[in-house]
Amino acid sequence: MKVDDVIYTGEPTELDLAPDMDALARTVSGCRRCGLRAGCQQVVFGEGVWPAGLMCIGEGPGADEDRLGRPFVGKAGQLLDKILEVSGFDRHRNCYIANVVKCRPPGNRIPEPAEREACWPNLRAQIRQVAPKIVVLLGATALQGVIDPQGRITRVRGHWIEREGIHFMPTYHPAALLRDPSKKRDVWQDMKQVIAKYRELVDPDHYSPHA
Ligand code: SF4
């Protein structure tokens, strides 16, 4: 599934027509469009404020997220919160966080292309509710699920991709930083671009403690 001309254009689905994010979350909580729902405890829809100038999209829930019903609350999530904090963002104040698939893949395996595609209408409707100017794509699955099924994160990270007025910044997933801390420097470079773009498009007075 590609994002070209498909977030805001084309026939809106029933999900796209949800009156607000809460209504959309209630609908998605009953989703069984792929087999992942059968093996998880609950749908992990997303968290944050909407509309928001910034949205972050990751891969899918892990064990902690599945247990608590919230995205990015395990070790990788805590690192994401820190990255956002030093960039002047906070999921409770000025950004929204979601995943490509809303149900935990068994054993934390990478979601399969068919699962990503099954969950795309949920994510598309969610993006429409958030109406972000900037989307940070965290890792290969987010890149492949939203922009290019064949996309390579090592090749495109740090480069803006613009679609339908949204600026997408692919970067490494925080879990990759936990495995290889040397990638932190690249992510910080990418986030500095995000901060600058946010000041350009959303809030010229955006405060970041470190950039
Ligand atoms: S992963 Fe997405 S498409 Fe699959 S059942 Fe869960 S919410 Fe539905």
Side-chain angles (χ1 to χ4, degrees), residues 18-176:
D20 56 35
M21 192 75 95
D22 293 333
L24 178 62
R26 279 195 297 277
T27 304
V28 174
S29 70
C31 178
R32 293 195 172 264
R33 262 200 310 279
C34 82
L36 292 180
R37 181 66 186 90
C40 72
Q41 291 189 39
Q42 57 189 315
V43 170
V44 180
F45 179 69
E47 189 171 86
V49 297
W50 68 90
L54 180 74
M55 181 171 183
C56 298
I57 300 177
E59 180 174 301
D64 293 323
E65 289 77 12
D66 186 39
R67 185 168 49 84
L68 296 171
R70 298 176 56 211
F72 282 98
V73 290
K75 279 191 180 150
Q78 288 161 21
L79 180 54
L80 176 63
D81 280 341
K82 274 190 197 142
I83 293 167
L84 291 173
E85 186 186 338
V86 298
S87 308
F89 299 108
D90 180 330
R91 66 173 86 185
H92 302 296
R93 189 165 53 83
N94 56 5
C95 73
Y96 192 91
I97 297 173
N99 281 307
V100 165
V101 295
K102 316 293 184 204
C103 300
R104 182 193 180 200
N108 289 349
R109 67 162 167 75
I110 295 169
E112 292 172 2
E115 293 160 348
R116 288 193 324 238
E117 289 191 18
C119 215
W120 168 247
N122 297 331
L123 181 58
R124 167 188 146 115
Q126 212 168 14
I127 295 171
R128 286 167 69 114
Q129 291 283 349
V130 178
K133 296 272 189 247
I134 300 165
V135 174
V136 179
L137 298 169
L138 300 163
T141 299
L143 172 69
Q144 292 164 359
V146 178
I147 298 288
D148 177 0
Q150 310 302 326
R152 303 264 301 269
I153 193 71
T154 47
R155 198 169 289 169
V156 302
R157 72 136 275 278
H159 299 280
W160 289 109
I161 302 165
E162 192 181 348
R163 299 274 194 278
E164 293 185 294
I166 304 175
H167 292 74
F168 293 87
M169 173 54 72
T171 192
Y172 294 123
H173 192 285

Side-chain angles (χ1 to χ4, degrees), residues 177-196:
L177 307 189
L178 293 174
R179 288 191 296 270
D180 178 4
S182 71
K183 288 189 165 75
K184 284 183 183 176
R185 183 182 302 216
D186 288 337
V187 170
W188 180 234
Q189 292 304 320
D190 301 345
M191 287 308 295
K192 283 204 274 196
Q193 291 198 67
V194 168
I195 294 164

